[in-house]
Amino acid sequence: MSKKRYVYFIILSLLIFVGCQTTDISQVPYKKEYSKYVNEVALLYYTENPEMFVNIRNDDMFLSTLMAGPAIVPQILMQLAHQSAKKEDIRVFNDMIFDLNIGEILCEKLNTKLQLCSYFHVVPQEDITKNQNIWELLEKKDKDSKDYEKIGTELDVDTIFEIGIISYGIKDPGVFSDPYASLKIDVKMTTASEGTVIWRDIVEARIAIGTDTEGFLDLAYTVPEYLKEQMEEVADVVSEKCVEKLGFDTNYTYLLEEDYINKTKHKINIAEKLRELNILRHENFITNSDYDKTKLDLIEQAKSNNSAGPNPETKPNVTEKTNLSSIK
């Protein structure tokens, strides 16, 4: 290979692999014996998320590469044009979801699933985001033991669950595949007392969009909420994977599906009901024990199409000013 061709080859290789990311994260397996030390949990996300990636022009790139033939210069020009188009896609699509915080959405979904599937008592997300002291600590990715202790004291928790977004976006693999949405996160579970990491993992998922690239582009540009819905769906899958990795049964997550809710007699939006109930618990209007009993009652109601309503014997004892009728 001549020196000139070798230079072209290096440039082409760099263009092909530009934008690839690597992560250097030490994974820590979660052990079941840790669970006896985990009771009160706070879910945090970093305030800064990476830019959403968009890579949907591989079909066009494949055809252009075939047409350019083996000549080096046309191939390089094709790669430059491809990279320019991809940058424009990234700019446009990020503008479309400028008000979407994927970390926040993921924490909200994970909060609901942990309430539904685990025994953890989870801090309502509203109480985290409105706390100025906590908000300042969200900006720190490398927290020390004092930071974790401060979070634990502020939120009255023994365990902190941090979500870091590694990457998310839309990709079309090529000619023989349709586009998919993907999300990859770094999840870390830490004790509030000493900042000891008891679980750290990389969790990722992808979901098929269900249409080809042209159909996807038509929907993305004509339906404002379409792109956000794709990101919310893949966040939902990742949140469920996190719960599964902690060893909890996720069989009840079907109760959250809109289609299932519409088919049931009571049409209980259990995600909203759990949020309301959790706020009452966190603000000490009801005890943890009352919360647990009422939560189980809500789940049983949501599971049954013919449920006649809550069993009076399982209704928690609460103060007179606390009304749970809207939750049940």
Side-chain angles (χ1 to χ4, degrees):
M1 182 183 292
S2 68
K3 185 176 181 180
K4 186 175 181 181
R5 284 181 175 272
Y6 179 76
V7 171
Y8 283 149
F9 177 78
I10 294 296
I11 294 173
L12 182 60
S13 299
L14 290 172
L15 286 169
I16 290 174
F17 293 104
V18 67
C20 292
Q21 293 182 332
T22 59
T23 57
D24 184 18
I25 295 172
S26 299
Q27 293 173 268
V28 178
Y30 184 78
K31 299 178 181 179
K32 288 186 177 180
E33 55 262 34
Y34 292 155
S35 295
K36 60 184 176 182
Y37 303 110
V38 181
N39 295 294
E40 303 289 335
V41 178
L43 303 177
L44 310 181
Y45 59 91
Y46 302 136
T47 54
E48 290 187 9
N49 292 318
E51 187 177 57
M52 184 182 76
F53 72 82
V54 182
N55 187 0
I56 55 175
R57 298 194 179 271
N58 289 309
D59 286 355
D60 294 341
M61 185 61 197
F62 177 74
L63 294 174
S64 299
T65 300
L66 290 179
M67 293 177 64
I72 297 296
V73 173
Q75 288 286 356
I76 291 176
L77 293 176
M78 289 294 178
Q79 285 288 345
L80 290 171
H82 177 64
Q83 292 300 323
S84 177
K86 188 162 75 169
K87 287 182 179 179
E88 180 63 15
D89 290 335
I90 291 171
R91 184 191 67 78
V92 171
F93 279 82
N94 274 276
D95 286 346
M96 288 182 182
I97 62 164
F98 74 95
D99 58 344
L100 179 142
N101 187 321
I102 191 70
E104 181 179 21
I105 288 173
L106 183 57
C107 279
E108 289 174 352
K109 290 183 176 294
L110 186 56
N111 191 306
T112 298
K113 285 188 169 63
L114 284 175
Q115 288 185 73
L116 184 63
C117 304
S118 80
Y119 60 84
F120 296 160
H121 292 139
V122 190
V123 176
Q125 295 306 122
E126 297 92 334
D127 284 42
I128 294 173
T129 54
K130 71 183 181 183
N131 188 311
Q132 184 61 37
N133 293 328
I134 299 300
W135 188 256
E136 291 174 359
L137 288 171
L138 292 179
E139 297 177 353
K140 293 183 65 175
K141 288 191 175 181
D142 297 319
K143 300 178 182 65
D144 55 32
S145 58
K146 291 183 178 179
D147 293 328
Y148 288 113
E149 186 177 354
K150 184 175 181 179
I151 293 172
T153 301
E154 286 280 343
L155 298 175
D156 193 22
V157 296
D158 52 58
T159 308
I160 295 150
F161 205 117
E162 289 181 274
I163 298 292
I165 306 299
I166 296 174
S167 64
Y168 68 106
I170 305 291
K171 184 175 182 179
D172 178 6
V175 176
F176 301 106
S177 302
D178 288 333
Y180 62 79
S182 73
L183 172 61
K184 185 176 184 180
I185 69 169
D186 166 26
V187 56
K188 183 167 64 171
M189 207 169 179
T190 312
T191 62
S193 58
E194 298 177 346
T196 302
V197 178
I198 59 176
W199 179 47
R200 190 165 192 180
D201 206 348
I202 303 296
V203 183
E204 57 184 318
R206 62 177 63 176
I207 60 166
I209 290 176
T211 182
D212 59 16
T213 300
E214 291 301 319
F216 165 72
L217 290 172
D218 288 343
L219 284 169
Y221 281 105
T222 57
V223 182
E225 296 300 314
Y226 177 71
L227 188 57
K228 293 180 182 179
E229 289 172 358
Q230 302 305 312
M231 291 298 101
E232 289 181 5
E233 284 186 26
V234 75
D236 191 64
V237 176
V238 168
S239 67
E240 190 151 342
K241 282 191 172 186
C242 287
V243 176
E244 290 174 346
K245 284 177 175 286
L246 289 170
F248 294 112
D249 188 347
T250 58
N251 283 341
Y252 288 160
T253 55
Y254 73 90
L255 301 176
L256 302 169
E257 297 173 4
E258 186 175 347
D259 288 343
Y260 174 80
I261 294 171
N262 290 334
K263 292 177 183 177
T264 60
K265 177 180 179 181
H266 297 291
K267 294 180 171 47
I268 298 173
N269 185 334
I270 197 165
E272 182 62 25
K273 297 299 183 183
L274 285 174
R275 188 189 70 82
E276 294 172 5
L277 183 62
N278 197 30
I279 290 173
L280 290 176
R281 179 197 65 82
H282 193 69
E283 294 180 351
N284 296 318
F285 286 113
I286 59 174
T287 66
N288 285 345
S289 178
D290 290 337
Y291 163 82
D292 292 337
K293 290 178 182 178
T294 309
K295 180 180 77 169
L296 291 176
D297 185 63
L298 277 172
I299 293 172
E300 288 304 313
Q301 287 186 64
K303 284 166 55 180
S304 174
N305 288 347
N306 300 313
S307 171
N311 186 340
E313 295 181 358
T314 63
K315 188 177 291 186
N317 295 319
V318 295
T319 58
E320 290 184 0
K321 63 180 179 180
T322 303
N323 184 4
L324 296 184
S325 59
S326 62
I327 295 176
K328 293 225 179 220

